[in-house]
Amino acid sequence: MRLTTKGRYAVTAMLDLAFHSQKAPVTLTDIATRQTISLSYLEQLFARLRRAGMVKGVRGPGGGYTLANTANSINIADIIIAVDEQLDATKCGGEGNCQNHKACLTHDLWMGLSEQIRDYLKGITLADLLEKHQIQEIARRQEQDAQHVIEFQLQTGISAYPK
């Protein structure tokens, strides 16, 4: 199994959203700035997360995104699956047709690993991560860094947002 940037960025963006949307909706531009993720890539991820019912959009001035459910009810595995990432270490996608349309010698080994990974990530919610002191410190630092980016843009007129 290889977790691609799609899954990693989705988890990162959802954790950022969970941290910052406690007071007001959060724009994708703000997440893009804090996490140095392309805005267009975030738009694609959030379209999938919205379809999966994990986030909801708020229109109008002061709009953005919020979590559709509590941070306690959103686990990491569901975020990854919502953006079409597979939590599967097998070569066959769990179908058991790895070798000449039959299970290979190590099929059960990789199926067991896949189940362990899935169970581990299902057991961690956004709320669990938000409780970690280190994550809170990092989120605050990223917020300060993003504020410096905005100040730089205002002073220079140069956009520093990720493309």
Side-chain angles (χ1 to χ4, degrees):
M1 184 196 111
R2 187 173 156 263
L3 187 59
T4 67
T5 55
K6 188 187 331 179
R8 291 176 193 276
Y9 284 176
V11 171
T12 299
M14 286 291 285
L15 186 54
D16 183 287
L17 180 67
F19 185 83
H20 293 284
S21 68
Q22 295 173 22
K23 298 175 193 147
V26 177
T27 67
L28 293 183
T29 303
D30 289 343
I31 295 172
T33 301
R34 281 190 295 268
Q35 303 307 325
T36 60
I37 301 172
S38 159
L39 180 59
S40 62
Y41 199 63
L42 276 177
E43 289 168 345
Q44 294 171 34
L45 292 176
F46 270 71
R48 291 177 180 185
L49 293 165
R50 193 172 352 101
R51 281 193 298 273
M54 301 190 107
V55 299
K56 59 184 176 185
V58 177
R59 295 181 184 265
Y65 283 92
T66 62
L67 297 177
N69 298 304
T70 64
N72 281 337
S73 64
I74 300 173
N75 69 61
I76 304 307
D78 288 344
I79 295 169
I80 294 168
I81 292 167
V83 295
D84 295 330
E85 280 286 286
Q86 300 300 313
L87 294 173
D88 182 11
T90 66
K91 181 169 74 171
C92 63
E95 298 293 319
N97 59 1
C98 342
Q99 189 175 41
N100 299 324
H101 305 290
K102 295 180 182 128
C104 69
L105 192 61
T106 55
H107 179 77
D108 288 341
L109 171 70
W110 304 128
M111 284 296 295
L113 176 60
S114 297
E115 289 171 22
Q116 291 288 318
I117 293 168
R118 204 172 7 265
D119 290 346
Y120 174 73
L121 294 175
K122 275 195 171 291
I124 302 171
T125 66
L126 289 175
D128 294 334
L129 295 175
L130 286 174
E131 289 175 5
K132 293 183 180 283
H133 181 68
Q134 181 182 11
I135 287 178
Q136 293 173 17
E137 286 180 3
I138 293 168
R140 286 187 197 98
R141 184 203 47 172
Q142 289 174 334
E143 196 166 3
Q144 290 172 345
D145 292 349
Q147 188 59 42
H148 292 155
V149 167
I150 292 167
E151 290 169 6
F152 172 80
Q153 290 173 329
L154 292 173
Q155 291 172 358
T156 64
I158 298 172
S159 176
Y161 287 122
K163 299 281 182 217

